């Protein structure tokens, strides 16, 4: 039971303590024992039974467990009277370094007030392993130590008590040491490391051991300590040379400090016992220290004086290696140094004449420079061979013995490489051969061998119409990889015409900068594109040139207002249309058509209806221009409706035109002057328009059948030979309701549209109509149009 459950927070604790002090303490005391680390809820004992209290009275007497600890380790179950564990208990944490560990609490009851003291002994369990204070321990033991020597080992500590603490030690298996475990009492166990076999540092300088401390728990726990035994060296080994006789060779031209060889002696000891110092041994009247230096620590022998093969072809030297132990030990060796003759003079290269720069169009064999090679050595050491290194368009041509000419051996291109660093190498025939290098810088001069270049052969230039005269519409830029005057360019326009207009009146070009300037204001509606060529010419001798094709595209601007097509006039006159009073919703009133001379969005038109305020009888399709009724007529509507249609394009800024239409409402359809009307969008009954369409379709079909019968009758009167030239005609009915009549040479199609708003009858030969083909169409039942294509490809409709 927590303090919050008991209501003992804040000042409540003070009240409880005061009551405990004032009340008459009972002499009774309960004692329990329980192991540490038991689970929460483990029952310690039954307070009701041990205090001789009825279980039913526990709640009425408000039994509470009170303690002075920061944690509530125990609580009581008021229903059963059991005292149980309410918090994890760690004996090592509660009672460190104490053999007996107990928790003292009080059981308080009311009505009447009584307090009973309870002592709970916490029993130890083996929950801690032995551990050493340090993770590793080092012993330094001389290799001369005698067997039987002892060394005290660190002890392990165990937080547990009694039999759960450390009881013994163990040592990992080895051949040099053993373990002596001593017990001074029940809880005092120590161990010593005993040497039982002589040590040899040269065989095993470091010995790794593992010390294990084991407690008496069941099961037992253990801890380990890493032991490192460093075997201390004694000077019991003599230095040894890798060879008793060393043979080396030294060049006669070796400079002072040149390394001749490095002596190598070893000593199995360590420290000062293995530190070796080298020295020369003087024998007779020959002192090798006059010719050579010996580094006493590293054993490096270097040249000190001048070596000359002709004076002394070989040197015999004695050397000594001595260690630095308390009683030094030494070894000796013989060193034979042979002096060898060398080729110690390299060839010399000199340039006697240099003819530069060289033109990039120079022919092969053109002389660039004269070269002479000499060598101070004699014989084969003085014979030199000369060559050009790398991949360059030059080579050496031998003139006489050691005289050479450097000549052109390949094509030169200043634009790729304007300067060559020609490397000439001369090598003698000595052993080993010596060589010299000389670098000759050759400059290449320019000739006019490159025509001006454009990035692209054709460019497209976009110019807005109505741009100001004299504005730069584009800048031509060509480049020439040549230099100076060979790269200086002028620009000219080649003679051409643009839409039958002389080019000189349309554009001009700045000959130096390449700026193309407009000479007139362009009108997209008159000219949309034209083409011309620009020529770039350099100033070389002879001059070279290149051409560039320029395509000029005029970009449209919104400079044309929409134009309303007949039969309606633009703003300024009023057009009249009549509709019946019985007109249904969606009744077709009129269709406004307009065009715009611009293109793109500038010619994309939209239609809007400007009606008097409060008039909501008509609507117009923003893209089709069709005016239809929005609802049925009512008695409150006017008989005359003036409408203003605004036609706007989508340019920036937008331009527009207006049309005024006066719509007159008549009582019946007989009063409507216009002969044909479009049917409403939704027509469920069979209207007059369908009747007109049916009559037109039947009439055209009859005419077509009569023509077909006449054609077949004419064919029947022809001879058999005539029939052989033609195949039989064929009449085909298509799923979409169209008919086709075909022969081997031509085919006619009759097409009927299923659209009730716009039904067309079209008769035409296929696949390609001749120049005089006729197109007959019935448009929505309102008009009957016949279109014929004339020989000049113009179409005439009526």
């Amino acid at each position: 039971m927590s303090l919050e459950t008991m209501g003992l927070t804040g000042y409540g604790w003070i009240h409880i303590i005061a009551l405990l002090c004032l009340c008459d303490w009972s002499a009774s005391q309960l004692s329990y024992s329980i192991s540490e680390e038991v689970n929460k809820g483990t029952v310690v004992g039954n307070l009701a039974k041990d205090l001789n209290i009825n279980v039913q009275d526990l709640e009425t007497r408000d039994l509470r467990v009170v303690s002075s600890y920061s944690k509530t380790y125990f609580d009581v179950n008021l229903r059963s009277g059991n005292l149980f564990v309410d918090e994890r208990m760690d004996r090592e944490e509660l009672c460190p370094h104490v053999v007996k560990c107990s928790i003292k609490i009080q059981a308080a009851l009311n009505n009447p007030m009584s307090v009973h003291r309870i002592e709970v002994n916490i029993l130890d369990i083996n929950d801690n392993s032995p551990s050493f204070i340090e993770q590793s321990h080092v012993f330094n033991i001389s290799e001369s130590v005698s067997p039987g020597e002892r060394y005290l080992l660190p002890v392990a500590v165990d937080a547990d008590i009694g039999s759960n603490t450390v009881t013994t030690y163990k040592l990992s298996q080895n051949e040099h040491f053993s373990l002596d475990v001593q017990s001074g009492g029940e809880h005092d166990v120590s161990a010593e490391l005993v040497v039982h076999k002589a040590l040899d540092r040269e065989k095993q300088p470091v010995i790794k051991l593992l010390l294990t401390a084991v407690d008496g728990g069941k099961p037992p726990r253990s801890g380990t300590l890493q032991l490192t035994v460093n075997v201390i060296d004694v000077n019991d080994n003599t230095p040894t040379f890798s060879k008793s006789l060393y043979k080396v060779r030294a060049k006669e031209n070796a400079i002072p400090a040149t390394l001749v060889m490095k002596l190598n002696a070893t000593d199995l000891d360590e420290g000062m016992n293995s530190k070796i110092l080298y020295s020369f041994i003087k024998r007779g009247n020959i002192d090798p220290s006059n010719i050579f230096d010996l580094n006493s620590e590293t054993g490096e022998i270097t040249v000190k004086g001048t070596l000359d093969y002709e004076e002394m072809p070989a040197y015999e030297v004695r050397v000594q290696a001595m260690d630095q132990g308390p009683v030094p030990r030494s070894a000796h060796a013989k060193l034979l140094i042979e002096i060898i003759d060398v080729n110690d003079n390299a060839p010399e290269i000199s340039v006697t004449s240099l003819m530069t720069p060289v033109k990039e169009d120079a022919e092969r064999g053109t002389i660039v420079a004269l070269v002479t090679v000499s060598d101070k050595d004699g014989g084969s050491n003085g014979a030199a061979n000369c060559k050009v290194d790398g991949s360059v368009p030059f080579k050496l041509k031998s003139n006489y013995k050691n005289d050479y000419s450097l000549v052109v051996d390949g094509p030169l291109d200043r634009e790729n490489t304007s300067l060559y660093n020609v490397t000439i190498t001369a090598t003698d025939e000595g052993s080993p051969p010596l060589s010299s290098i000389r670098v000759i810088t050759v400059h290449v001069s320019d000739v006019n061998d490159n025509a001006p270049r454009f990035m692209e052969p054709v460019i497209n230039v976009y110019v807005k119409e109505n741009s100001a005269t004299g504005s730069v519409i584009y800048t031509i830029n060509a480049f020439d990889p040549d230099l100076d005057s060979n790269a200086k360019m002028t620009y000219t326009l080649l003679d051409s015409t643009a839409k039958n207009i002389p080019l000189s009146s349309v554009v001009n070009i700045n000959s130096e900068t390449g700026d193309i300037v407009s000479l007139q204001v362009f009108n997209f509606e008159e000219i949309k594109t034209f083409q011309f060529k620009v020529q770039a010419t350099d100033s070389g001798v002879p001059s070279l040139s290149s051409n560039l094709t320029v395509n000029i595209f005029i970009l449209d601007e919104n400079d044309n207002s929409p134009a309303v097509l007949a039969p309606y006039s633009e703003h300024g006159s009023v057009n009249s249309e009549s509709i019946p009073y019985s007109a249904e919703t969606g009744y077709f009133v009129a269709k406004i058509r307009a065009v715009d001379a611009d293109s793109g969005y500038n010619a994309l038109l939209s239609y809007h209806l400007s009606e008097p305020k409060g008039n909501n009888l008509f609507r117009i399709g923003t893209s089709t221009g069709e005016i239809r009724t929005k609802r049925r007529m009512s008695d409150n509507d006017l008989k005359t409706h003036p409408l203003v249609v605004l036609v706007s394009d989508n340019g920036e800024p937008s331009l527009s035109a207006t049309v005024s239409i006066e719509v007159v409402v008549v009582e019946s359809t007989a009063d409507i002057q216009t002969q044909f009307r479009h049917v409403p969008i939704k027509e469920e009954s069979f209207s007059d328009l369908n009747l007109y369409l049916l009559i037109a379709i039947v009439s055209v079909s009859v005419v077509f059948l009569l023509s077909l019968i006449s054609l077949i009758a004419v064919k029947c009167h022809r001879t058999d030979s005539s029939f052989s030239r033609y195949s039989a005609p064929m009449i085909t009915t298509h799923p979409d309701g169209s008919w086709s009549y075909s022969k081997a040479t031509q085919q006619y199609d009759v097409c009927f549209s299923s659209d009730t708003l716009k039904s067309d009858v079209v008769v035409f030969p296929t696949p390609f109509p001749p120049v005089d083909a006729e197109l007959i169409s019935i448009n929505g039942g309102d008009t009957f149009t016949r279109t014929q294509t004339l020989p000049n490809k113009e179409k005439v409709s009526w």
Side-chain angles (χ1 to χ4, degrees):
M1 181 181 296
S2 64
L3 293 176
E4 288 78 3
T5 305
M6 297 171 60
L8 299 179
T9 59
Y11 291 103
W13 263 103
I14 299 176
H15 296 159
I16 291 298
I17 298 298
L19 289 173
L20 293 176
C21 293
L22 294 176
C23 67
D24 182 18
W25 290 86
S26 173
S28 64
Q29 176 176 321
L30 298 180
S31 180
Y32 298 102
S33 296
I34 191 168
S35 297
E36 62 173 330
E37 305 288 355
V38 295
N39 294 330
K40 185 177 180 179
T42 302
V43 177
V44 179
N46 191 286
L47 292 181
K49 178 180 178 182
D50 295 337
L51 294 177
N52 197 20
I53 301 173
N54 195 341
V55 176
Q56 287 76 14
D57 297 337
L58 294 179
E59 293 187 6
T60 58
R61 296 191 64 183
D62 191 16
L63 174 62
R64 301 179 185 181
V65 174
V66 181
S67 70
S68 59
Y69 297 95
S70 59
K71 296 182 180 180
T72 305
Y73 290 103
F74 301 97
D75 203 350
V76 63
N77 188 328
L78 296 180
R79 294 183 178 180
S80 62
N82 287 333
L83 179 67
F84 62 89
V85 176
D86 194 44
E87 188 76 30
R88 172 185 170 272
M89 294 176 295
D90 185 357
R91 193 199 65 81
E92 288 75 28
E93 179 182 348
L94 289 171
C95 311
H97 313 297
V98 177
V99 176
K100 182 179 180 181
C101 181
S102 63
I103 297 177
K104 296 178 176 59
I105 59 176
Q106 291 83 33
L109 295 99
N110 294 324
N111 301 320
M113 170 67 71
S114 63
V115 177
H116 301 272
R117 188 164 50 189
I118 302 172
E119 182 180 12
V120 180
N121 295 317
I122 309 303
L123 303 181
D124 181 51
I125 63 173
N126 192 23
D127 57 343
N128 291 280
S129 298
S131 63
F132 293 90
I133 298 176
E134 52 187 351
Q135 295 182 351
S136 62
H137 189 77
V138 178
F139 292 99
N140 294 318
I141 303 175
S142 174
E143 65 177 329
S144 61
V145 70
S146 301
E149 289 285 337
R150 292 173 173 267
Y151 300 91
L152 188 63
L153 293 172
V155 294
V157 294
D158 194 322
D160 296 324
I161 61 173
S163 62
N164 293 330
T165 190
V166 178
T167 59
T168 186
Y169 292 91
K170 295 181 181 180
L171 186 67
S172 58
Q173 186 175 1
N174 67 96
E175 61 177 333
H176 295 284
F177 298 95
S178 62
L179 194 64
D180 183 12
V181 181
Q182 302 170 356
S183 177
E186 182 181 356
H187 302 291
D188 187 12
V189 179
S190 62
E192 290 181 342
L193 188 67
V194 181
V195 179
H196 70 86
K197 184 178 180 180
L199 304 177
D200 188 351
R201 191 206 62 82
E202 287 70 37
K203 292 183 179 179
Q204 191 173 2
V206 179
I207 301 174
K208 297 288 186 179
L209 303 173
L210 187 64
L211 178 64
T212 303
V214 183
D215 62 21
K218 294 182 180 180
R221 289 174 175 262
S222 62
T224 58
L225 173 65
Q226 181 71 46
L227 299 179
T228 302
V229 178
N230 294 323
V231 181
I232 306 304
D233 181 56
V234 295
N235 192 21
D236 55 350
N237 290 280
T238 302
T240 304
F241 279 101
S242 59
K243 294 181 180 179
S244 59
L245 175 63
Y246 294 93
K247 292 183 179 181
V248 295
R249 305 178 70 189
K251 296 180 181 179
E252 65 171 332
N253 62 347
I255 60 175
T258 299
L259 179 66
V260 177
M261 72 162 298
K262 183 177 181 180
L263 297 174
N264 183 23
T266 58
D267 194 317
L268 297 178
D269 296 323
E270 68 173 1
M272 297 301 294
N273 296 330
S274 66
K275 185 177 180 180
I276 298 174
L277 295 180
Y278 301 92
S279 61
F280 286 126
I281 299 177
K282 184 179 179 181
R283 292 172 60 86
N285 59 354
I286 299 176
D287 189 358
S289 61
N290 294 329
I291 306 299
F292 302 99
D293 269 337
L294 174 59
N295 189 312
S296 61
E297 294 185 355
T298 63
E300 291 181 347
I301 299 177
T302 56
V303 175
K304 180 179 180 181
T306 301
L307 303 181
D308 191 347
Y309 174 81
E310 288 71 26
E311 292 183 4
M312 183 67 70
Y315 293 90
E316 184 177 313
V317 180
R318 300 278 181 168
V319 292
Q320 174 182 266
M322 180 180 292
D323 64 26
Q324 301 299 301
V327 180
R329 296 189 178 207
S330 62
H332 304 87
K334 183 187 293 185
L335 176 61
L336 181 62
I337 303 175
E338 296 181 3
I339 308 302
I340 58 175
D341 188 23
V342 296
N343 180 26
D344 53 357
N345 289 284
E348 296 181 358
I349 303 172
S350 60
V351 179
T352 58
S353 178
L354 179 62
M355 288 153 277
T356 185
V358 180
K359 288 188 176 182
E360 61 178 325
D361 59 349
E363 297 180 355
R364 291 177 181 266
T366 301
I367 296 177
V368 177
L370 298 178
V371 179
T372 300
V373 179
S374 60
D375 196 318
K376 295 179 181 180
D377 294 326
S380 60
N381 292 334
N385 298 315
C386 201
K387 66 176 181 177
V388 174
D389 293 339
S391 178
V392 291
F394 302 97
K395 70 176 182 178
L396 283 174
K397 181 180 178 183
S398 179
N399 296 332
Y400 177 77
K401 291 186 177 180
N402 292 333
D403 292 335
Y404 300 89
S405 295
L406 181 66
V407 298
V408 176
D409 190 43
L412 303 178
D413 188 354
R414 188 208 61 79
E415 288 71 36
N416 290 332
T417 307
S418 61
L419 182 145
Y420 290 92
N421 289 320
V422 183
T423 302
I424 299 176
T425 302
T427 306
D428 61 26
E429 297 179 2
S431 179
L434 297 179
S435 62
S436 297
I437 295 176
R438 177 70 181 269
V439 179
I440 300 177
T441 301
V442 180
H443 295 272
V444 182
S445 61
D446 183 53
V447 297
N448 191 27
D449 56 347
N450 289 279
R453 301 176 186 175
F454 293 99
M455 296 300 295
E456 297 178 353
V458 179
I459 62 171
N460 297 326
V461 180
Y462 299 90
V463 183
K464 289 185 177 181
E465 66 172 330
N466 303 321
S467 297
T469 302
S471 59
V472 178
I473 62 176
Y474 194 79
T475 299
I476 301 298
N477 186 19
F479 69 96
D480 194 318
D482 293 324
L483 286 177
D484 303 328
S485 61
N486 294 333
K488 185 178 181 180
M489 289 174 289
T490 57
Y491 301 93
T492 56
L493 293 176
L494 299 182
D495 293 337
S496 179
T497 59
K499 302 294 182 180
N500 299 324
I501 302 175
L503 183 64
S504 59
S505 64
V506 179
V507 293
N508 193 16
I509 190 169
N510 189 311
S511 61
E512 295 183 358
T513 64
D515 292 340
I516 300 176
V517 181
S518 63
L519 300 180
Q520 68 175 29
V521 177
F522 298 108
N523 189 350
F524 176 80
E525 287 70 36
E526 294 180 359
I527 180 172
K528 293 180 175 56
T529 180
F530 61 92
Q531 185 186 85
F532 60 89
K533 291 186 177 181
V534 176
Q535 185 177 74
T537 306
D538 61 26
S539 301
V541 180
S543 62
L544 301 176
S545 62
S546 296
N547 295 339
L548 170 69
T549 300
V550 181
N551 294 320
I552 302 295
F553 295 93
I554 310 301
L555 301 179
D556 181 47
E557 286 192 342
N558 193 26
D559 56 350
N560 291 278
S561 299
V564 180
L565 300 179
Y568 300 104
S569 302
E570 294 186 17
H571 188 69
S573 61
V574 179
N575 303 275
S576 179
E577 293 288 347
S578 299
I579 62 173
Y581 176 79
S582 60
E584 298 289 338
T585 301
Y587 184 83
F588 180 83
V589 178
K591 182 178 179 66
I592 306 302
R593 294 180 175 88
V595 295
D596 196 314
D598 295 322
S599 64
Y601 281 99
N602 295 330
L604 182 61
L605 303 180
S606 60
Y607 301 85
H608 304 279
L609 194 61
S610 176
E611 298 178 298
K613 187 175 181 181
N615 189 346
N616 59 351
L617 183 58
F618 302 98
R619 61 179 173 84
I620 188 170
T622 56
S623 59
T624 62
E626 292 183 354
I627 301 175
R628 295 180 180 273
T629 59
K630 293 172 64 177
R631 57 178 176 78
R632 292 179 57 88
M633 299 288 178
S634 66
D635 295 337
N636 296 329
D637 290 328
L638 300 176
K639 300 302 181 181
T640 302
H641 299 270
L643 303 179
V644 177
V645 178
L646 178 66
V647 184
S648 303
D649 59 27
N650 281 268
E652 289 292 340
S654 176
L655 301 178
S656 62
T658 58
V659 178
S660 298
I661 299 178
E662 185 177 77
V663 180
V664 179
V665 180
V666 297
E667 293 298 330
S668 64
T669 56
D671 298 331
I672 300 176
Q673 296 179 358
T674 305
Q675 183 177 0
F676 298 101
R677 287 286 174 187
H678 287 284
V679 298
I681 293 178
K682 296 181 180 179
E683 183 77 6
E684 296 181 357
S685 61
F686 190 81
S687 63
D688 295 338
L689 178 61
N690 290 338
L691 179 60
Y692 298 147
L693 181 60
L694 181 59
I695 295 174
I697 293 174
V698 172
S699 301
V700 173
S701 300
V702 171
V703 172
F704 174 73
L705 291 175
L706 291 176
S707 302
L708 186 61
I709 293 172
S710 301
L711 182 62
I712 294 174
V714 172
K715 290 292 184 178
C716 292
H717 287 82
R718 294 188 177 182
T719 60
D720 294 338
S721 61
S722 299
F723 277 104
S724 63
R725 296 194 304 253
Y726 301 95
S727 61
M730 181 179 294
I731 301 175
T732 305
T733 302
H734 300 288
D736 59 356
S738 61
W739 304 337
S740 63
Y741 165 77
S742 62
K743 296 191 300 179
T745 58
Q746 58 182 334
Q747 176 178 331
Y748 295 89
D749 288 347
V750 180
C751 301
F752 298 91
S753 174
S754 60
D755 190 355
T756 58
L757 297 179
K758 182 178 179 180
S759 300
D760 295 339
V761 179
V762 182
V763 181
F764 56 88
T766 57
F768 300 101
V771 295
D772 58 347
E774 293 186 359
L775 176 63
I776 303 173
S777 64
I778 300 175
N779 298 318
D782 290 344
T783 59
F784 184 90
T785 304
R786 178 180 181 186
T787 304
Q788 183 174 9
T789 304
L790 300 179
N792 60 358
K793 297 185 179 180
E794 295 182 356
K795 294 184 179 180
V796 179
S797 303
W798 66 93

